[in-house]
Amino acid sequence: MINLKLGVEVVSAHNLLPKDGQGSSSAFVELYFDGQRFRTTIKEKDLNPVWNESFYFNISDASNLHYLTLDVYVYNDIKATNSRSFLGKVSLTGNSFVPYSDAVVLHYPLEKRGIFSRVRGELGLKVYITDDPSIRSSTPLPASAEYTTTEDPNVTHTHARAVPNPVNPDKVQSRHTFHHLPNPTHHEHQHDPSPPVVTHHLPKYEIDEMKSEPQPAKLVRMYSAASSQPVDFALKETSPYLGGGRVVGGRVIHGDKTASTYDLVERMYFLYVRVVKARELPAMDVTGSLDPFVEVRIGNYKGITKHFEKKQNPEWHQVFAFSRDRMQASVLEVVIKDKDLVKDDFVGIVRFDISEVPLRVPPDSPLAPEWYRLEDKKGEKIKATPVDSTPAISAVLRSKVYHAPRLWYVRVTVVEAQDLVPTEKNRFPDVYVKAHIGNQVLKTKTCQARTLNAIWNEDLVFVAAEPFEDHLVLSVEDRVGPGKDEIIGRVIIPLSAVEKRADDRIIHSRWFNLEKPIAVDVDQLKKDKFSSRIHLRVCLDGGYHVLDESTHYSSDLRPTAKQLWRPSIGILELGILNAVGLHPMKTRDGRGTSDTYCVAKYGQKWVRTRTIVDNLSPKYNEQYTWEVFDPATVVTVGVFDNSQLGEKGSNGNKDLKIGKVRIRISTLETGRIYTHSYPLLVLHPAGVKKMGELHMAIRFSCTSFANMLYLYSRPLLPKMHYVRPFSLMQLDMLRHQAVNIVAARLGRAEPPLRKEVLEYMSDVDSHLWSMRRSKANFFRLRTVFSGLFSVGRWFGDICMWRNPITTVLVHVLYLMLACFPELILPTVFLYMFLIGIWNFRYRPRYPPHMNTKISQAEAVHPDELDEEFDSFPTSRSPDLVRMRYDRLRSVAGRIQTVVGDVATQGERCQALLSWRDPRATAIFVTFCLVAALVLFVTPFQVIAALAGFWVMRHPRFRHRLPSVPINFFRRLPSRTDSML
């Protein structure tokens, strides 16, 4: 048996808070893990102590390691009273523990223990797991020892929680006494090491929230052995305390009606300071000039307004927001200063006690500005120099919402051209038409005309976005020689003047005169009785849905034309709570950190959370809402590291991807709140890597159950996709252009959604060849047919009489069905009905998530990863090999897609009775019951005759749209949602 140990090296601390009253502290560290406690030595009078001490904890159960927490507390030793004062803490979850070979020293910012704790500084730790038998576990301190803990004497405690002594249960901890062995319920599963909040005079519901104990995250049950994967990559169900109350089993209990608007996120508080204007400011020099600006300070955090030159009545109208999590002071200072090249001069100050700042909860209106009289450095009022500012604590932070432009397909039918005049008069032109909209360029085939007229009858399709900024430009060009073309004429058509259509009706064609590309003599033009012209049929096709994302993960299936939209069937609410255990994406001040934000996409609405700077466990707590028009859609949430901050921001650095989560709407039960911690898995050239976990709450509420059930019988895509379908090559090209257009439009927003973010969210490279994806699709296909193989093996055992009793029963059943063939179909449908009812108890209770085993990402060969991450075209070989290699990748990519589609159809068959889509399975199970009853009372010969005549019916009775069973089948979910 391997004896695992958790090694912790306490290296040093930096910039600790002085607590001994003499500007220093005598710091020591206590560590708690799995009921064990260790303590370092005391460093006397040192705000930057260095320990370099190692401790080793016993790991009693390695399988439970991910649910344990290492708590590290820093204290100041007070020898006079034999007590200690709190300096800060660090909490690390078991997910962050790595082997010794991967361990590095990380400097963690110290967190607060309670809402009134005052902390600052960092603690350097090196944490790792080792199985070295030569290492002996450290001797833990006795758990019965008590140590009096004091806090900042300037802060009044308003609440405390009594914790029973683990040794003497009859002894209750006093208000300011802290036991060395912490309450395991209190510290277990605290994934977010960010500091607790600071506030004063909280309302009752906030105190109730703080008293609630965090519930441990539990692993969800895998619905098949084929999808099982390592525990570290698994989904975890949580029971957070959200705005509406505690979430248990997908339902909110003890809800708070005042927070019903944002009931999928935790309440967060910000101190907003709006600096409006000042008047009658005093002159600071002999010239009477003043260059004022305002500095808003809370502890070590401050914000500065712009400054005005020589103005005694300035107006700023600027707002500053301070998170309550990082407030380290109880006083807000608004200071007016005079801008100076050498040293800014003090003008006046206004101080606010944060405990007196009013609390604003939406939908309350903002506070009206008030005038405050300035004070000098001595605290005396300055005569007639008020400043207009408004502080208020609010629970609202405006999120960033983007609306993607409405996309259209532009169909250009090039019919013919007449009266073409080539440059060389002694030859007939070899002409073609080149059309372009923005960066999109398409060409017709070359027409080798034997007259001065040319006929093409070709369709060219483009993508355009509202409002239409680009024009359609067509030019007729003559192929003079190899690589040499000359323009005969061109025409420019504004897209705003193009006719729109929402069906396949015929658009009337028009003749357009071709303009000469170069200047000619005006008198010569007057002598010409005719000019070259081109015959075109141009329209904006609104009956299609412009695909701008992978077809497997579409979030919107509506056509472009709004008049074809159906009413919404429900509301999707998404609460992005927090992320834990994020992998550092950059180095700052010698330590790893990340500046993360989340992006969610559903339909045309994109949302982006605020960027949480310098935090590996950020709390977002932002809630968003979308209208749902089709349940067979997917919402995608991605986490990114912001690379645009700092002085070198906007320098072309790409925002780094941390991971994403996809959730199909049809897999959600209506009205249930799903609160899970999703693993963020990303494939790197070195293999699959877990970048952290994203904690979200999601709820799908149905507003029209009848309309939702009706959609299961409708085609997945709009009618035009079946009436006038595009080829696969056209769809890939148009999708690529649509992504570029959306990226360009959203990239002009402020802050912009960068192109790499949209490409990652839209899976633009999903069609490229990958050996890993091909193997994954093959194994998916093998899993689909594994049921048939099992039936074959079972029938072989029947034939071999491996189990005589089973063989005899099968013979009896076969003889009965042979004698009464009319019972075959009723028996099959009844059997499927019973299987569906039996599987109801094993139905999945959680949304799908990324699965490394299904994606074949656990043991992928490095050479295959190198091929997958290789550029296209390849850069690994000479020209000839590169050409062959690219051709192989292109063909193999299509084969991969076909195999994946076949696997998808098989998985949809499995989804009929698996309750992956609860509504679809309920419909099918009900149909099976009705079919079984009908077939019991209807002769088999009648059913067979009707079925045969229906299959061989006359084309007059057929429709071009897919039938109801096919539409129902195509809406069923598959396991593509679990593919990386």
Side-chain angles (χ1 to χ4, degrees):
M1 181 177 179
I2 299 178
N3 186 16
L4 292 179
K5 298 179 182 64
L6 177 65
V8 181
E9 294 183 16
V10 182
V11 182
S12 61
H14 172 67
N15 194 27
L16 296 178
L17 190 70
K19 281 292 186 75
D20 61 357
Q22 300 176 3
S24 184
S25 292
S26 299
F28 67 96
V29 178
E30 284 193 355
L31 303 96
Y32 300 86
F33 178 78
D34 197 15
Q36 306 166 64
R37 178 172 66 97
F38 300 122
R39 183 190 299 172
T40 66
T41 57
I42 300 175
K43 300 298 180 180
E44 299 288 342
K45 305 293 183 179
D46 193 356
L47 294 179
N48 300 284
V50 177
W51 288 282
N52 287 324
E53 298 179 21
S54 300
F55 304 92
Y56 297 96
F57 296 88
N58 283 322
I59 299 177
S60 57
D61 186 3
S63 62
N64 197 40
L65 180 62
H66 295 286
Y67 304 104
L68 299 178
T69 302
L70 170 66
D71 294 312
V72 184
Y73 291 82
V74 184
Y75 294 103
N76 169 52
D77 180 62
I78 307 176
K79 292 185 178 180
T81 60
N82 192 25
S83 62
R84 60 185 178 182
S85 57
F86 180 78
L87 294 179
K89 74 169 185 175
V90 174
S91 296
L92 302 178
T93 61
N95 293 327
S96 62
F97 301 158
V98 296
Y100 181 80
S101 57
D102 297 333
V104 295
V105 178
L106 293 177
H107 294 272
Y108 299 92
L110 293 177
E111 310 162 11
K112 307 171 187 176
R113 185 180 61 184
I115 62 173
F116 300 104
S117 300
R118 296 178 56 201
V119 300
R120 77 178 188 193
E122 299 173 339
L123 180 64
L125 299 174
K126 183 177 182 179
V127 184
Y128 53 89
I129 298 174
T130 179
D131 57 354
D132 189 353
S134 62
I135 298 177
R136 294 181 176 272
S137 300
S138 306
T139 303
L141 296 175
S144 59
E146 290 190 6
Y147 210 105
T148 303
T149 303
T150 61
E151 293 286 351
D152 192 338
N154 295 326
V155 178
T156 303
H157 289 246
T158 60
H159 78 285
R161 183 166 59 92
V163 181
N165 191 318
V167 177
N168 185 5
D170 297 329
K171 183 177 181 179
V172 180
Q173 182 180 0
S174 62
R175 183 172 185 177
H176 297 287
T177 303
F178 179 76
H179 288 275
H180 295 300
L181 185 61
N183 185 2
T185 307
H186 180 69
H187 294 282
E188 189 177 6
H189 315 302
Q190 296 212 0
H191 297 287
D192 191 351
S194 60
V197 293
V198 174
T199 188
H200 297 262
H201 303 291
L202 296 178
K204 181 180 183 301
Y205 56 78
E206 183 66 17
I207 297 178
D208 294 338
E209 175 183 344
M210 291 183 292
K211 290 182 179 179
S212 61
E213 295 292 338
Q215 300 296 320
K218 60 179 180 180
L219 296 177
V220 297
R221 176 181 57 82
M222 297 299 176
Y223 54 89
S224 68
S227 61
S228 60
Q229 58 179 346
V231 176
D232 195 31
F233 295 162
L235 194 68
K236 299 181 180 66
E237 185 176 8
T238 62
S239 298
Y241 190 94
L242 304 182
R246 172 73 65 190
V247 178
V248 178
R251 297 293 185 267
V252 178
I253 60 175
H254 303 300
D256 184 5
K257 296 182 179 180
T258 61
S260 59
T261 304
Y262 301 99
D263 59 346
L264 294 185
V265 292
E266 298 177 5
R267 186 179 291 108
M268 297 183 68
Y269 285 86
F270 293 85
L271 175 65
Y272 284 93
V273 181
R274 180 186 176 192
V275 182
V276 183
K277 56 185 176 180
R279 65 186 181 189
E280 302 176 11
L281 296 179
M284 300 303 297
D285 54 19
V286 294
T287 62
S289 63
L290 178 68
D291 301 337
F293 69 95
V294 177
E295 183 179 280
V296 182
R297 298 185 306 207
I298 298 181
N300 295 329
Y301 297 93
K302 67 179 180 180
I304 299 176
T305 67
K306 59 186 177 181
H307 77 279
F308 295 94
E309 295 183 359
K310 300 181 179 180
K311 195 169 185 179
Q312 291 183 317
N313 297 295
E315 294 187 10
W316 291 280
H317 297 284
Q318 289 185 241
V319 179
F320 300 91
F322 299 90
S323 173
R324 195 185 65 180
D325 292 352
R326 297 193 174 187
M327 291 185 191
Q328 299 178 357
S330 59
V331 176
L332 164 68
E333 297 179 346
V334 180
V335 185
I336 296 184
K337 294 185 178 182
D338 179 26
K339 190 70 175 177
D340 190 89
L341 296 177
V342 180
K343 183 179 180 181
D344 297 336
D345 294 328
F346 177 89
V347 178
I349 186 172
V350 178
R351 294 182 176 88
F352 299 92
D353 188 352
I354 296 181
S355 62
E356 302 297 332
V357 175
L359 177 68
R360 172 181 174 259
V361 178
D364 294 349
S365 300
L367 298 180
E370 297 182 23
W371 289 100
Y372 297 90
R373 192 171 299 279
L374 295 177
E375 299 177 356
D376 56 17
K377 294 182 178 180
K378 299 180 180 180
E380 298 178 356
K381 300 291 183 180
I382 301 177
K383 184 179 180 180
T385 53
V387 59
D388 188 1
S389 62
T390 306
I393 293 181
S394 175
V396 176
L397 182 66
R398 187 179 300 276
S399 58
K400 304 170 184 66
V401 179
Y402 308 80
H403 288 278
R406 193 154 61 120
L407 302 178
W408 293 79
Y409 283 140
V410 182
R411 186 184 297 271
V412 182
T413 303
V414 183
V415 182
E416 60 180 332
Q418 292 183 353
D419 304 329
L420 301 177
V421 182
T423 305
E424 300 178 3
K425 304 297 183 181
N426 56 353
R427 55 178 288 274
F428 291 109
D430 293 338
V431 293
Y432 65 90
V433 177
K434 182 171 70 174
H436 65 87
I437 299 177
N439 296 325
Q440 307 173 64
V441 180
L442 294 177
K443 298 179 182 179
T444 65
K445 65 179 183 294
T446 302
C447 180
Q448 298 178 350
R450 292 295 173 259
T451 63
L452 296 180
N453 302 330
I455 299 177
W456 292 280
N457 281 321
E458 284 191 42
D459 279 354
L460 305 178
V461 183
F462 302 87
V463 179
E466 291 183 345
F468 302 115
E469 299 176 349
D470 299 316
H471 298 311
L472 170 63
V473 181
L474 298 101
S475 59
V476 180
E477 301 188 11
D478 181 14
R479 180 67 52 82
V480 179
K484 184 179 180 181
D485 301 326
E486 291 184 355
I487 299 178
I488 296 178
R490 66 182 177 186
V491 60
I492 301 176
I493 304 175
L495 291 179
S496 57
V498 174
E499 185 178 357
K500 299 178 181 178
R501 70 174 184 180
D503 51 16
D504 60 339
R505 63 184 176 87
I506 301 299
I507 297 295
H508 296 291
S509 59
R510 291 179 55 191
W511 287 93
F512 296 88
N513 293 330
L514 294 175
E515 301 177 356
K516 297 295 182 181
I518 57 176
V520 297
D521 188 3
V522 177
D523 296 333
Q524 182 66 29
L525 288 176
K526 293 180 180 180
K527 295 179 182 180
D528 293 338
K529 297 181 180 180
F530 63 89
S531 63
S532 302
R533 58 180 186 167
I534 187 171
H535 192 194
L536 302 174
R537 186 180 294 114
V538 185
C539 70
L540 292 170
D541 265 332
Y544 294 92
H545 168 68
V546 181
L547 297 171
D548 61 343
E549 52 195 342
S550 175
T551 53
H552 295 298
Y553 318 120
S554 294
S555 63
D556 190 8
L557 301 172
R558 294 174 296 171
T560 302
K562 291 185 177 181
Q563 58 267 31
L564 299 180
W565 291 4
R566 298 183 179 275
S568 64
I569 61 171
I571 297 296
L572 175 66
E573 298 168 279
L574 174 67
I576 303 177
L577 303 179
N578 56 64
V580 296
L582 294 182
H583 185 77
M585 305 299 294
K586 62 185 66 169
T587 302
R588 181 177 295 144
D589 298 332
R591 56 185 176 83
T593 186
S594 293
D595 306 323
T596 59
Y597 64 91
C598 297
V599 174
K601 179 195 186 305
Y602 186 76
Q604 292 183 325
K605 180 179 176 181
W606 294 69
V607 297
R608 168 177 171 165
T609 67
R610 63 190 184 277
T611 299
I612 307 299
V613 180
D614 196 11
N615 198 333
L616 296 179
S617 297
K619 287 186 177 180
Y620 305 101
N621 283 309
E622 297 189 22
Q623 183 171 340
Y624 306 97
T625 304
W626 289 269
E627 282 188 304
V628 177
F629 294 88
D630 198 307
T633 48
V634 177
V635 58
T636 305
V637 184
V639 185
F640 301 89
D641 178 74
N642 196 331
S643 300
Q644 315 306 315
L645 302 179
E647 297 179 357
K648 297 184 179 180
S650 306
N651 61 349
N653 293 337
K654 292 185 177 181
D655 289 352
L656 303 178
K657 58 185 180 183
I658 297 180
K660 64 183 172 185
V661 178
R662 291 188 293 254
I663 300 176
R664 187 172 294 272
I665 306 302
S666 62
T667 62
L668 304 177
E669 298 179 10
T670 56
R672 178 181 176 184
I673 300 177
Y674 292 84
T675 55
H676 292 85
S677 184
Y678 296 83
L680 298 174
L681 306 178
V682 176
L683 198 64
H684 290 280
V688 66
K689 188 173 184 180
K690 181 179 178 180
M691 307 297 291
E693 295 182 2
L694 180 63
H695 192 196
M696 296 191 302
I698 187 170
R699 175 173 57 199
F700 169 53
S701 303
C702 178
T703 56
S704 178
F705 190 74
N707 288 343
M708 180 172 59
L709 296 183
Y710 174 70
L711 280 177
Y712 280 92
S713 66
R714 300 300 302 164
L716 190 65
L717 293 172
K719 178 180 178 181
M720 286 292 293
H721 285 272
Y722 306 100
V723 176
R724 299 192 64 177
F726 293 115
S727 65
L728 292 178
M729 187 174 298
Q730 272 185 306
L731 285 176
D732 287 340
M733 183 270 295
L734 293 173
R735 176 172 169 258
H736 177 71
Q737 298 296 343
V739 171
N740 289 337
I741 291 176
V742 174
R745 289 292 180 89
L746 297 184
R748 299 190 319 213
E750 184 57 39
L753 274 182
R754 298 178 61 83
K755 184 177 181 180
E756 60 269 17
V757 174
L758 273 79
E759 290 180 347
Y760 181 61
M761 297 284 289
S762 303
D763 291 299
V764 294
D765 297 330
S766 60
H767 64 286
L768 296 180
W769 162 258
S770 166
M771 180 66 74
R772 178 190 60 83
R773 287 198 190 100
S774 298
K775 290 196 300 183
N777 289 331
F778 171 76
F779 285 110
R780 287 172 56 203
L781 189 62
R782 192 177 69 174
T783 304
V784 168
F785 290 104
S786 62
L788 295 178
F789 299 150
S790 300
V791 172
R793 289 192 297 268
W794 174 80
F795 186 73
D797 294 339
I798 294 297
C799 297
M800 297 301 295
W801 287 78
R802 298 289 176 85
N803 190 335
I805 298 178
T806 304
T807 303
V808 171
L809 292 177
V810 170
H811 278 72
V812 173
L813 178 62
Y814 179 76
L815 181 62
M816 181 182 64
L817 295 179
C819 296
F820 303 98
E822 63 274 10
L823 297 180
I824 296 178
L825 289 180
T827 302
V828 172
F829 281 104
L830 182 61
Y831 182 64
M832 287 190 294
F833 169 77
L834 294 176
I835 292 178
I837 295 299
W838 177 261
N839 288 342
F840 178 78
R841 59 183 297 187
Y842 304 110
R843 66 191 185 279
R845 303 299 182 92
Y846 59 93
H849 64 286
M850 303 295 184
N851 193 296
T852 56
K853 187 172 183 179
I854 294 178
S855 305
Q856 293 294 310
E858 294 179 345
V860 61
H861 195 274
D863 181 67
E864 297 175 2
L865 285 176
D866 180 73
E867 180 185 32
E868 183 171 349
F869 283 92
D870 186 15
S871 59
F872 189 86
T874 180
S875 58
R876 300 291 194 270
S877 57
D879 294 339
L880 180 61
V881 179
R882 179 171 59 191
M883 181 269 297
R884 296 175 179 176
Y885 185 51
D886 292 341
R887 181 175 57 189
L888 173 63
R889 293 176 71 183
S890 177
V891 174
R894 297 179 184 177
I895 297 176
Q896 160 191 310
T897 303
V898 172
V899 174
D901 291 340
V902 174
T904 298
Q905 308 311 317
E907 290 168 351
R908 286 172 176 167
C909 292
Q910 293 179 335
L912 285 171
L913 299 174
S914 66
W915 295 92
R916 167 52 59 190
D917 183 347
R919 288 162 291 276
T921 303
I923 294 174
F924 184 74
V925 168
T926 304
F927 168 75
C928 290
L929 178 61
V930 174
L933 297 177
V934 171
L935 292 175
F936 268 119
V937 299
T938 305
F940 176 78
Q941 296 82 354
V942 175
I943 297 296
L946 292 177
F949 280 105
W950 173 256
V951 172
M952 296 180 291
R953 67 189 184 279
H954 192 273
R956 178 180 299 177
F957 302 103
R958 299 178 184 270
H959 298 282
R960 290 184 293 179
L961 296 179
S963 61
V964 171
I966 294 178
N967 295 332
F968 178 85
F969 182 78
R970 288 177 177 175
R971 290 181 175 277
L972 294 172
S974 64
R975 302 178 75 175
T976 55
D977 306 329
S978 300
M979 292 284 293
L980 283 176

